[in-house]
Amino acid sequence: MAEEIKINKQLFHERLAHLVSTWKADRRGGDALFGGVGSMLVLLGKADRANGFSKSSAMNFWLLGYEFPATLFLITTEKLYVVTTSKKASYLQPLKGGKFPIEFLVRGKDAEQNTKQFQDVVDAIKAAGKKLGVVPKDSATGPFADEWKKVYEAASKEIEEVDVALALSTTALSVKDESELRAMRNSSKACAAIMSPFFVGQMSAILDEEEKIKHSALASKIDGIVDSPAFFKKNPKLPGDFDASQLDWTYGPVVQSGGKYDLRLGAQPNDENLHAGVIVAGFGLRYKMYCSIVARTYLVDPNKSQEANYKLLLTIHETVIKEIREGALPKDIYNKAVKLLKTKKPELEKHFVRSLGAGIGLEMRDATLVINGKGTRTFKDGMTLCVTTGFNDLQNPTPRDKQSAVYSLVLSDTVRVTRAEPIVFTADAPSDTGSTAFFFKDEEEQSPKINEKKDSRVGAIALRNITKTKLRAERKQIDPEIQAKRRERQKFVANKNRNEGLERFAGQQGGQNGAAPKEFKRFDSYKRDNQFPDRVRNLAVFIDHNNSTLVLPIMGRPVPFHINTIKNASKSDEGEWSYLRINFLSPGQGVGRKEDQPFEDPSAHFVRSFTFRSKDADRMGDIATQITDLRKASLRQEQEKKDMEGVVEQDKLIEIRNRRPQRLTDVLIRPALDGKRLPGEVEIHQNGIRYHSALRPDLRVDILFTNIRYFFFQPSFKELIVIIHAHLHHPVVVGKRRTLDVQFYREATEIQFDETGTRKRKHRFDDDDEYAAEEEERRRRAVLDKDFRNFAEKVAEAGRNDNVSVDIPYRDMAFSGVPYRANVLMQPTTDCLVSLTDPPFFVLPLREIEAGHIERLQFGLKNFDLVLVNKDFSKPPTHINTIPIEFLDSLRDWLAELGVVVSEGPLNLNWGTIMKTVAADPYQFYVDGGWPTLGVDSEEDDSMEEEDEDSAFELSDADMARSAASSGDDSGFDEDASDFDDGDASEDDDDDDDGENDSVADDWDELEKKAAKKDRESALDDRDTVRKRKR
C-alpha cells in the first residue's frame, strides 16, 4: 500500500502556500472572505461515500491527492497540525521539510495519550485566536470523530466557530489549474461517450425490438461499462494516456420514464419497465476524483406539444451556457432564463427548475456556487459548472396511455468558464432535436390508402400484344423531309464533334499505337543467400512453396527460378529412366496472349528448357505435379489481385442511433452474398445505405452516398421483378466478388399458374377466379412499385448533398440487343443506357459516348450492330449486337438528340486496329475527317435502300402479254427484254464474258448460271467500292 500512495510534495506545498497567502491577504484587507479566523479545522471521520464527497474530503484530495479517513488537519498561518494513525503518518512524513512547517501527532493504543493529542490541538486553536474556521454542513462520524468532539466540546465555549466553506471554495476548490481541468475534460468525455453512443444504442435497440426491461436493470447494464477499458480505448476522442481504472461513478446511472421523474442528483432508478415515451437519462463520473455530469432527455414518437417544449428548453439551455463567462453573476443568468421563458411560454414558469446548476469539481455540487435567483458569487476563469435546465411534471395534451400523461424534461452539461465563450466539456453527447427525437411509428408502418391514383406505367394491361407487322415489305415509308432533317442534323453533329476533337487534341501526340506498353515485372525469390532453404544443400530439385520458387541444381550450385518464369513442366518415361522437362518463358515462343509478353532485354540469351533424368519415376511425377499446381496457384493469385484492382476502402458508415432507420424489407441483393439468395433489409443511414440479412447478421453490404455514381429505380411493368440499382464510382466487394453494380430487388409475381389448361386447373379456377387473381397481381405490383419508388426517393433525399438522384428507364424508348451474350432489353435513362433486369448488368453513361457506328446495315438483314466509342480512347468500344432493324430509325434519332455523331456501314470493322490508330494520333484523325470517314455516306445508303425496296418485279398487262408471246416461240428473249429495260440489257451485253452477240437464245439453265455469276461480280464490285471509300 505504501508503494502505491505517492503524494506530490511540491504540489502539496504550492497549494498550501497559496491557501495561507490568500488567507493572510484577506486579513490585511478586512477579513471579508475568511471572517477573521485564526485557524481552520478539516476533520475526516469514517469514510462514507454514500453521501458523496464533503468539502473536507475535497480539501484532502486537493492538498494530498488522496483521502485519509480518521484524520484531523488544523491549519494556522504558521503551521499545519496533523492528527492521524501511525500507518497514515508514514505516508505523510515525506511532506516534512517544505516551505510550510508540519507537526504530526501520531495516535497509538494509549487512550490518555490520544486524548492529550486532541487537547494539544485545542490549545493550538486558542493560541491562534478564538475564531475557528469550520464547515458546519460536513458531519464527521466514527470513533475518531466522536473522541475529538468529546474533547472539543469541553473548550468550545471559549472558541467562536466561523463558516469558511465559501472561503475554501473560492481559494482552493472552484478555480482549477491546468491539470485539474484536464481531469475534468477527460471525465466529461468519458461521461459523454457512455451517453452516446453506448446508452443511445442500448435504448434504441430495446425500443426497436420492443423488449421489456426495468429501469434498474438497464442502469445496471450501464453501470458495468466503467469496468470495460476496451470501450474507452476504442473512443478516439479520449487521449491516448486515458486510464480507465481511474473512473468511478459519482451520480447514477439513472434512467427514468413512464410519468415518474425525479430531477434531483440523489435520484435512483426504480423497478418500472422502460416506457417508449419521454426517457430521461443522467450519468456522473469521477476521473482522478474530478466529477462531471451529463443528462439528456430522449423523446420517442413525440407529439407536437412535446417537441415544442423540448425545443424551448433547448433554447433556454443554450442561452444559459452562452451567458456564462468571467465576471457574470449567477442571478443575472437565472433571471435572463426566466425572462426568456416568460416571453415564449409563461404558463411553463411554474414547471421550471429553481436552480440552473452549481459548481462541480472535486465536489459533485458546490453549494456555495449555485446558479439561482439569489446567487451573487462572480464567475471566474477556470471555474467548472454543471448547468442543468428542465421542466418538472408537464401535462401531455394528447397522451397515448396513462404513463404518457405527465412528463419531465431535463438537460445537463459540464461547462468551463472562460473570459470569452464557455467550453462545454460534454458536447460530444448531442442534445439537438435531430439526435434526441426517435420516431419508430413512421410512415412505412402506416397502411397504404386503398383509393390511390394508379401510375399509368405500372400494372397496365397491354392494349396490343402483337405488332402490326415485322415484314420488311410492309415497313412504314419514311417521310423524305424527316430524312433530310436527320441528315442535316448529323452533318451539324459531325462538324461539331470534329471541331471539338481538333480543339481537344491540338498539339497532342499518342504513343505505342494507342496502347500503354506492358511493364516488365521482376520476381525476387531470395534477396540474400542465407534465405535459401536448408534442403537445397542436397543439390536436388526442390520446390519452395513459401517463396513460389523452384530450385534446380545446375553445375553443382542451387539456382532459384521464380514460378512466374516457368511456362510448364512435363514428365516422360524411356526405359528405366524418367525425364523431367521444365520449359521457361522466353521471347519468340509465346502464342496468343503471351505473344507480347515484355522482357527486360529481348536480345539477350535465354534458356528455354532444362531436362533432368532419374530412375525414381514417382519423384519425377510428383515434382511435375507440384510445379503445375504451384503455377496454377500463382496464376490464380494474379487473377484475384487483378479482380481486386480499383477496390477502394470506403469510409465507415455512420449509423442512425436516435431513431429507427428507414428501411425496405424482404429484398434480395445481386451479386448474391456467398452465392446464396438470402432475403434481407436495406436501411438508410446518415452517409449511406446498408444491406444486411436477417438470417445471417454477419453478412452485410455498406454503400456510401459518396460512392454512388448513378441510382436507378425500375418498376415491375412488363417485368418479373422491381429493382433499385446503384452504379458506383469505385468497385466494392460483395461476398468475394468485386463489383461496380449493386442491385436490390423483389419478385413481383408470387403465384405461379398452370397454363397448360389441365382438368385440375379448370376445376380449381374458373374465369372469375383468374380475373380476380390478375387484378390482385396488378394491385400487388402497384403497391410494390410504390414502396420501392418511395424508398429510392428517400435514398436520394438522404444523399442529396452527394448528388444522389433517382433515374428511371424510359421503356417506350427501349430496344433489344446483345451487349454480352444474351439478348436483353436496352433502356435509355436521363444519364445512361442500361440493362438492369438480368446480370451481367449493363450501365453506359451517355456523357462518355464520343461516337456511334452502325454495322451490318444491308438490305435483306433483319438485324444490325451498334458500336459506341468511348471518349477515353484507351477504353475499348461498347458493342451492342443483333438489334432488330425496326429500331434503326428511333436509334438514329435518339443518338442525334444526344449529340453523338453516327456513321453507318455494311460490314463489321476491326475496332482493335481502328482504336490503336486513332489513339496513336488523335489530332490527325480529326483532321482527316473524324468518325464519319468510317462509314458509307448516309444519303447514298438511303437511296440504295429505297431503290432496293422499290425494285419489286412488277409487269404491266402489256408486258405480260408480250412476255407470254415471246415464251411461245423460240426467238430472242434478249430483244424483248430490251424493250423492258434498255439500260440493263445493254449493260448485260457489254459485260458479257464471251463478248459475243449470240443469235440463239439461251435456255433457262444457262440464264440462271449467268444471273448467279452476275450477282457474284456485282457483290465484288460493291466490296471494292466500299474499300475505296474507307481508304
Side-chain angles (χ1 to χ4, degrees), residues 612-655:
F612 297 87
R613 74 174 186 172
S614 172
K615 292 184 178 180
D616 191 349
D618 294 337
R619 172 166 169 74
M620 292 291 102
D622 182 59
I623 292 175
T625 303
Q626 291 187 49
I627 294 174
T628 303
D629 293 343
L630 189 59
R631 178 66 178 159
K632 290 180 179 179
S634 176
L635 294 175
R636 184 167 56 251
Q637 291 177 0
E638 289 183 5
Q639 185 62 37
E640 291 176 356
K641 184 177 179 181
K642 184 178 180 181
D643 292 341
M644 298 304 291
E645 287 181 357
V647 176
V648 179
E649 184 177 357
Q650 297 186 112
D651 294 334
K652 188 175 181 180
L653 184 75
I654 302 175
E655 300 182 30

Side-chain angles (χ1 to χ4, degrees), residues 340-610:
L340 177 61
L341 176 60
K342 289 181 178 179
T343 304
K344 300 288 185 178
K345 286 189 176 184
E347 66 274 12
L348 298 183
E349 183 183 0
K350 61 182 179 180
H351 300 282
F352 195 55
V353 292
R354 298 296 174 232
S355 73
L356 300 179
I360 191 172
L362 288 170
E363 295 179 278
M364 186 173 64
R365 184 178 184 273
D366 187 354
T368 65
L369 190 57
V370 180
I371 309 174
N372 55 21
K374 300 178 181 179
T376 57
R377 187 175 170 186
T378 306
F379 290 142
K380 294 182 180 179
D381 183 16
M383 286 184 174
T384 51
L385 308 171
C386 174
V387 179
T388 301
T389 57
F391 294 120
N392 278 301
D393 299 332
L394 294 175
Q395 299 296 321
N396 188 356
T398 57
R400 296 194 301 268
D401 47 41
K402 293 182 180 180
Q403 293 174 302
S404 304
V406 179
Y407 66 96
S408 297
L409 305 174
V410 67
L411 291 173
S412 293
D413 281 295
T414 303
V415 180
R416 177 197 168 180
V417 181
T418 65
R419 291 185 175 89
E421 292 292 327
I423 300 174
V424 182
F425 285 159
T426 53
D428 292 337
S431 57
D432 59 284
T433 53
S435 301
T436 56
F438 292 75
F439 297 90
F440 292 96
K441 295 183 179 179
D442 51 16
E443 60 183 8
E444 293 181 2
E445 297 183 5
Q446 298 176 3
S447 58
K449 295 181 180 179
I450 298 176
N451 296 326
E452 293 180 349
K453 186 176 180 180
K454 294 185 178 180
D455 190 347
S456 59
R457 296 174 57 186
V458 178
I461 302 175
L463 299 178
R464 187 176 60 203
N465 293 328
I466 303 176
T467 55
K468 288 184 178 180
T469 180
K470 289 187 178 180
L471 301 178
R472 295 188 301 277
E474 298 181 9
R475 287 177 55 195
K476 183 179 179 181
Q477 299 297 323
I478 301 176
D479 190 349
E481 294 183 4
I482 297 178
Q483 291 183 349
K485 290 181 180 180
R486 183 183 296 138
R487 286 193 291 268
E488 291 297 325
R489 174 66 178 172
Q490 275 299 322
K491 288 181 181 179
F492 172 78
V493 172
N495 292 332
K496 181 181 178 181
N497 177 268
R498 181 172 179 271
N499 295 333
E500 290 177 352
L502 292 173
E503 182 179 354
R504 179 160 53 129
F505 296 105
Q508 295 187 19
Q509 293 291 332
Q512 300 293 329
N513 290 329
K518 290 189 176 182
E519 297 181 357
F520 174 76
K521 294 183 180 180
R522 287 183 173 273
F523 303 100
D524 294 330
S525 297
Y526 309 105
K527 294 184 180 296
R528 293 178 296 276
D529 292 343
N530 57 7
Q531 293 179 343
F532 275 88
D534 295 335
R535 292 183 58 183
V536 301
R537 298 175 181 176
N538 301 331
L539 291 179
V541 178
F542 173 70
I543 300 175
D544 186 358
H545 292 274
N546 294 331
N547 294 297
S548 300
T549 298
L550 175 65
V551 183
L552 300 178
I554 301 176
M555 301 182 67
R557 295 183 61 86
V559 181
F561 295 89
H562 197 275
I563 193 65
N564 287 329
T565 65
I566 298 175
K567 183 179 180 182
N568 54 41
S570 62
K571 176 244 182 186
S572 60
D573 298 322
E574 293 184 10
E576 62 179 356
W577 294 97
S578 293
Y579 293 86
L580 174 67
R581 181 181 178 87
I582 302 172
N583 298 316
F584 296 92
L585 295 172
S586 59
Q589 70 168 0
V591 179
R593 290 179 296 176
K594 296 293 183 182
E595 188 175 0
D596 57 350
Q597 179 171 339
F599 290 88
E600 188 175 18
D601 184 10
S603 62
H605 292 281
F606 287 83
V607 177
R608 289 198 171 183
S609 65
F610 279 119

Side-chain angles (χ1 to χ4, degrees), residues 193 225 228-240 242-244 247:
I225 196 64
S228 176
F231 171 79
F232 299 99
K233 190 175 182 180
K234 294 180 193 175
N235 195 321
K237 297 182 180 179
L238 290 172
F242 182 82
D243 185 6
L247 278 177

Side-chain angles (χ1 to χ4, degrees), residues 114-124 126 148 151 154-155:
N114 295 339
T115 303
K116 185 179 181 303
Q117 290 173 352
F118 281 140
Q119 189 60 49
D120 293 342
V121 173
V122 173
D123 294 341
K126 293 179 179 180
W148 159 252
V151 176

Side-chain angles (χ1 to χ4, degrees), residues 59 205 213 232 313 321 339 393 399 704 891 976 987 1023:
M59 285 300 297
I213 187 172
F232 299 99
L313 177 65
I321 291 178
K339 183 178 179 181
D393 299 332
L704 302 186
L891 267 179
D976 294 335
E987 224 172 320
R1023 291 178 186 176

Side-chain angles (χ1 to χ4, degrees), residues 902-921:
V902 181
S903 57
E904 301 174 357
L907 303 175
N908 292 106
L909 304 181
N910 188 346
W911 285 98
T913 304
I914 292 174
M915 295 311 300
K916 286 183 179 180
T917 305
V918 173
D921 193 352

